[in-house]
Amino acid sequence: MPPSPTPLHSSGFRPHSLRLCSLGAVLWLLLAACSERPPQPTTPTTAQRQERVEALAASLESLEGDALTEALVELTRLTCNREPDRAVELGLRAERRLGPDTPPAQRHALALSMSRALTNGGQLEDAERWLRRAQVAAATTADPDLHWQNLRATARLRTTQQRHGEALDASEEAFRIAHGLDDFRREIQSGILRGRTLLDAGRHLAGLEVLLQTRNLADEGFAPGTIPAGIQADLSNDLGAAYDFLHCPELAVDHYRKTLEIWQGHRRLELVARQNIGAALHRMGRYDEALEMDVAALLLSQGLADRMSSAQLHLNTAIVLTDLGRVEDAVSHARTALELSEGIDPGDVRMRGEAALGRIQFRRDQFDDAERLLESAFEQAHQAGDRELILSILPTMAQLAAQRGDYEDAYDAMLLTAGFGPVVDAHAQEHLIALHARFDALQREHDLEVLAAEVAAERSARMSAWLIAGLLAGLALTVTFTWRLRLRAHRSLARAHAELAKTHRELLDQTSVAEAHRRELKVLQGLLPICCYCKKIRDEDGAWSQLERYIDEHSEARFTHSYCPECLPRVEAEVGGG
């Protein structure tokens, strides 16, 4: 069974009382009034941008000189995402008009818009060249916003080039710069870029977490109903892609439909939204609705010079038609997808197109053609590591082997399917169930050994499942028991720590008291050997010291010298006589 088409990327509470509710409202208003975040500039809507594009295009004939150059640069910037081919044409025309006196900011705007347009158009080498020119232009200024714009373009280009590590680094740096600029809209755009880059790098859960955080940040920072349409559409589209990657198609469809409401009326963007909705509906088994979306997207693609998108749309339509049993119509769309992808596809669309056409040819009993296409698609999917596509190809390859009587190869294909892990796609499961029924019929007629091997393999799988379940249960018990032991040890350690701290404080108190007592009790005690003539005192070492010095060294007493009333006349007489 074919895999589902791959999507594109482009709390309430009840107050306890009315009084509490009113108080909460007042507090919210006070917080909003006191917020330090500066007011955010308004962003033109998609309709207003389109009106601006038409007005500038109409004025080109009447403009000259610098005014014409500015208009061309502005037109290139406005059309680089939605009309990349037109943007490239306008940008080349503007480049020819640049002079030595052209401001660096204008050179940067043109180079960056050209890089974006060429990236969207799949011309990655030229996009890299123009991005370097934008970086050179930004380096001549001290404007951090230009550096931020370059980092966003770098992240997008590196993602398209499958250089996801560099893309993640660029998106992280862009978020840091936006936060430093204190520009709320730039922070939101950088958050969306981080989430999208993580999704493209295969880190789907991390990407979803970043996108949900960014949505909450936007809801808190913007007043209700004032979130710019572009930000709202990008968030809804990327959240839909995240849920799609995580196999939650119902949530993906809800977000894609919100994106479609915003992009309604803008051909290229509406095409992307309808294609994403169709892919998610196909994964849910709602084939008629998926076909309706794919056909609407094909109608929108008419007139757009985007062969890659058209090829993907034809491939999606072929897959859905195959599931609906309209095999002949599916063949036409599959061949058209292969023709459109010739020479421009890096491999993904062509690989899936060959797989889809191979399954269709098998249903039409064109077994040789089916085998050739499926083997080619299998080799490409194996090299690309596309597990989902491999799982969708193997059942049909097993049926082909059984059809030509090579039951051993058919059985090997089934074992290989099991070796690639569990099948997550419900339609692939249906194919495997049908394949098992086919083998039962063939084995009754031809090969009882294969039937015994299948039974043994199935029993082994059951035993493995029970063994894995037992191991998981034992692991859960072990983790729970270990956690409880650690918790108990942690609590015991906390109690011991508290007791030790208490004992430490008591010891400190006792030490302080003892030290105070020691200082107070440092007095002279016992018998002191003193000379009866010169009054010197003998210490413990046998040395004789002056009375003042001994008392000073062995007690807290200190001496001050003066004359008593009896000695004073004698001293004066000695001094006078001398």
Side-chain angles (χ1 to χ4, degrees):
M1 196 68 181
S4 300
T6 303
L8 292 179
H9 284 66
S10 118
S11 59
F13 68 96
R14 176 179 298 174
H16 297 294
S17 67
L18 180 60
R19 182 178 179 183
L20 287 177
C21 184
S22 301
L23 180 60
V26 171
L27 290 174
W28 183 87
L29 290 173
L30 287 174
L31 288 173
C34 297
S35 175
E36 297 181 359
R37 186 178 295 281
Q40 299 301 318
T42 58
T43 300
T45 63
T46 308
Q48 291 171 339
R49 186 181 289 107
Q50 187 62 30
E51 291 176 1
R52 174 67 174 162
V53 169
E54 294 174 358
L56 283 173
S59 66
L60 290 180
E61 298 297 331
S62 59
L63 296 176
E64 296 180 355
D66 293 341
L68 178 58
T69 303
E70 292 177 5
L72 288 170
V73 173
E74 180 70 5
L75 268 174
T76 305
R77 184 184 67 81
L78 292 172
T79 58
C80 63
N81 291 326
R82 293 170 175 80
E83 301 177 80
D85 295 328
R86 181 183 181 185
V88 170
E89 181 181 350
L90 291 166
L92 292 175
R93 184 178 171 186
E95 181 191 21
R96 291 192 292 268
R97 302 187 57 82
L98 296 181
D101 298 331
T102 303
Q106 193 174 46
R107 290 181 178 275
H108 174 268
L110 176 61
L112 193 63
S113 300
M114 285 290 290
S115 178
R116 289 175 178 173
L118 291 164
T119 299
N120 293 330
Q123 303 178 50
L124 303 185
E125 293 183 2
D126 291 338
E128 184 76 40
R129 179 170 57 86
W130 279 97
L131 179 60
R132 286 195 294 269
R133 292 178 61 174
Q135 292 168 345
V136 171
T140 60
T141 70
D143 189 352
D145 186 64
L146 299 185
H147 184 43
W148 177 83
Q149 296 177 33
N150 287 342
L151 287 170
R152 286 189 72 200
T154 300
R156 292 173 178 172
L157 180 58
R158 296 294 177 263
T159 297
T160 307
Q161 294 170 332
Q162 304 296 313
R163 294 158 63 177
H164 298 298
E166 297 177 36
L168 286 171
D169 292 341
S171 66
E172 292 287 346
E173 180 66 19
F175 184 82
R176 286 193 291 269
I177 291 178
H179 185 70
L181 291 173
D182 196 23
D183 189 326
F184 182 62
R185 181 173 285 103
R186 292 284 193 250
E187 288 186 43
I188 297 297
Q189 292 171 333
S190 299
I192 296 173
L193 178 64
R194 286 175 65 198
R196 183 180 302 163
T197 307
L198 286 166
L199 292 180
D200 290 327
R203 297 169 58 182
H204 304 144
L205 197 58
L208 175 62
E209 182 180 359
V210 170
L211 290 170
L212 289 175
Q213 292 173 351
T214 304
R215 186 183 66 180
N216 293 337
L217 184 63
D219 291 339
E220 294 172 1
F222 288 104
T226 63
I227 299 179
I231 290 179
Q232 198 170 8
D234 287 343
L235 270 173
S236 297
N237 187 64
D238 291 344
L239 281 170
Y243 284 121
D244 222 345
F245 282 127
L246 294 171
H247 306 291
C248 302
E250 295 86 356
L251 293 173
V253 168
D254 291 342
H255 285 85
Y256 287 147
R257 289 193 186 279
K258 293 178 184 177
T259 308
L260 180 60
E261 291 176 4
I262 300 172
W263 286 349
Q264 193 83 32
H266 304 280
R267 177 178 292 184
R268 183 177 295 275
L269 300 178
E270 183 181 347
L271 181 152
V272 173
R274 289 187 179 277
Q275 182 174 357
N276 290 341
I277 294 172
L281 289 170
H282 180 268
R283 266 181 280 276
M284 297 167 64
R286 294 157 62 176
Y287 301 133
D288 291 327
E289 297 176 63
L291 180 62
E292 181 181 350
M293 281 292 173
D294 287 340
V295 170
L298 276 173
L299 292 176
L300 288 170
S301 70
Q302 295 178 359
L304 294 178
D306 189 348
R307 292 172 57 191
M308 182 61 65
S309 295
S310 298
Q312 182 68 61
L313 285 168
H314 280 286
L315 176 58
N316 292 352
T317 306
I319 293 172
V320 176
L321 287 170
T322 302
D323 290 330
L324 288 171
R326 297 168 55 178
V327 179
E328 298 301 325
D329 293 337
V331 169
S332 175
H333 284 282
R335 292 192 185 280
T336 302
L338 290 176
E339 291 172 2
L340 289 172
S341 64
E342 188 71 35
I344 63 170
D345 177 34
D348 183 71
V349 175
R350 185 162 192 84
M351 172 177 66
R352 294 179 180 277
E354 289 182 349
L357 187 57
R359 288 187 292 269
I360 294 169
Q361 293 295 67
F362 175 77
R363 291 194 178 190
R364 300 176 67 208
D365 295 336
Q366 304 292 325
F367 301 126
D368 292 338
D369 196 19
E371 184 175 8
R372 176 182 58 80
L373 291 167
L374 289 173
E375 287 180 353
S376 174
F378 180 83
E379 291 178 3
Q380 296 176 62
H382 185 65
Q383 292 176 358
D386 193 331
R387 173 178 167 274
E388 184 179 358
L389 184 59
I390 290 174
L391 287 171
S392 70
I393 293 174
L394 285 172
T396 309
M397 295 182 71
Q399 287 180 306
L400 271 172
Q403 184 67 36
R404 62 174 182 263
D406 193 345
Y407 305 114
E408 185 176 356
D409 285 352
Y411 186 66
D412 289 342
M414 287 185 64
L415 289 180
L416 189 58
T417 303
F420 273 92
V423 181
V424 296
D425 193 302
H427 314 307
Q429 289 178 345
E430 293 177 3
H431 271 286
L432 284 179
I433 291 172
L435 182 59
H436 276 292
R438 174 64 175 165
F439 271 122
D440 288 340
L442 292 173
Q443 288 157 357
R444 283 194 297 269
E445 299 176 6
H446 301 286
D447 196 354
L448 294 178
E449 292 182 1
V450 175
L451 178 59
E454 282 187 3
V455 172
E458 192 171 334
R459 183 178 302 168
S460 176
R462 289 179 181 176
M463 291 296 295
S464 299
W466 279 106
L467 178 60
I468 292 173
L471 289 174
L472 291 176
L475 179 62
L477 289 174
T478 302
V479 170
T480 303
F481 181 70
T482 304
W483 178 80
R484 288 182 176 178
L485 286 179
R486 292 187 63 184
L487 181 60
R488 187 179 302 170
H490 178 73
R491 290 174 177 172
S492 299
L493 183 61
R495 287 195 296 269
H497 180 74
E499 293 176 359
L500 181 61
K502 181 180 178 181
T503 305
H504 181 66
R505 288 194 299 270
E506 293 175 352
L507 288 175
L508 287 177
D509 293 341
Q510 295 174 5
T511 303
S512 300
V513 172
E515 181 64 21
H517 289 172
R518 187 190 65 79
R519 288 196 299 268
E520 293 175 1
L521 294 175
K522 190 173 183 183
V523 296
L524 295 174
Q525 294 178 351
L527 298 175
L528 298 177
I530 184 169
C531 176
C532 60
Y533 179 76
C534 66
K535 306 303 181 184
K536 291 183 179 181
I537 298 176
R538 187 181 64 202
D539 60 16
E540 295 84 355
D541 297 329
W544 292 88
S545 302
Q546 292 291 339
L547 175 65
E548 295 93 338
R549 180 178 178 185
Y550 183 87
I551 294 176
D552 183 66
E553 291 178 352
H554 290 80
S555 72
E556 296 294 331
R558 296 293 181 268
F559 285 93
T560 61
H561 293 80
S562 182
Y563 297 101
C564 69
E566 295 180 359
C567 296
L568 180 60
R570 284 186 290 178
V571 173
E572 289 177 347
E574 292 177 2
V575 173

